[in-house]
Amino acid sequence: MTTFDRIYFIVRMIPYGRVASYGQIAALAGNPRLSRVVGYALHVNPDPENIPCFRVVNREGRPSRAFAFGGENRQISLLELEGVKFIDGCVDMSSFRWQPGTDELAAIRAFMADEG
DNA sequence: AGCGTGACCGTAT
DNA sequence: TATACGGCCACGC
């Protein structure tokens, strides 16, 4: 069980049509300063089919320039297909930001406590 | 085993 | 409004 595993677990929970920021993932993983690590974790994403890394954007709601699946335009397209709207290249975070509910927070906590 | 680096974020100048 | 920097984790040399 590593920090990456926690990050992947949380990213997998982001629902269809929603996005999360790196900092948000980091905070859920237990440390708000892990945002950079979140970026690296997604960079070496071992399972892109099950880990929706395209639903993670920076705090401005902007996709990464180094997005590997055809560039940031590709990421924008994927999100738009899910109904996420962009304003001047940025996601409207106040509308589309994922906010985990009580059950999801409990699941995250349980997973993190599972490492022993 | 040490060092630099990276899909970031917040703070300081 | 820009630019600079420290913090955090895993990976490759």
Side-chain angles (χ1 to χ4, degrees):
Chain A
M1 170 71 54
T2 66
T3 301
F4 277 32
D5 294 322
R6 304 184 203 189
I7 291 171
Y8 295 138
F9 179 80
I10 295 167
V11 172
R12 269 194 296 259
M13 294 183 69
I14 305 175
Y16 181 97
R18 290 315 242 316
V19 299
S21 72
Y22 295 93
Q24 183 182 355
I25 302 294
L28 290 171
N31 189 339
R33 299 172 180 240
L34 288 177
S35 54
R36 203 163 189 244
V37 180
V38 173
Y40 187 73
L42 296 182
H43 171 63
V44 294
N45 188 349
D47 191 5
E49 294 185 1
N50 295 309
I51 303 174
C53 55
F54 64 90
R55 296 199 186 117
V56 182
V57 295
N58 68 19
R59 72 174 163 154
E60 298 175 338
R62 215 175 79 184
S64 166
R65 293 170 270 152
F67 191 67
F69 304 96
E72 53 185 322
N73 290 333
R74 176 67 179 145
Q75 185 173 8
I76 292 174
S77 298
L78 288 170
L79 291 173
E80 284 182 332
L81 283 174
E82 300 192 347
V84 176
K85 288 168 187 142
F86 284 75
I87 301 173
D88 195 27
C90 298
V91 175
D92 181 358
M93 294 303 278
S94 61
S95 299
F96 293 97
R97 193 178 129 230
W98 172 53
Q99 289 183 285
T102 307
D103 294 345
E104 289 165 315
L105 287 174
I108 292 172
R109 269 194 261 272
F111 182 77
M112 293 179 56
D114 191 26
E115 64 176 314

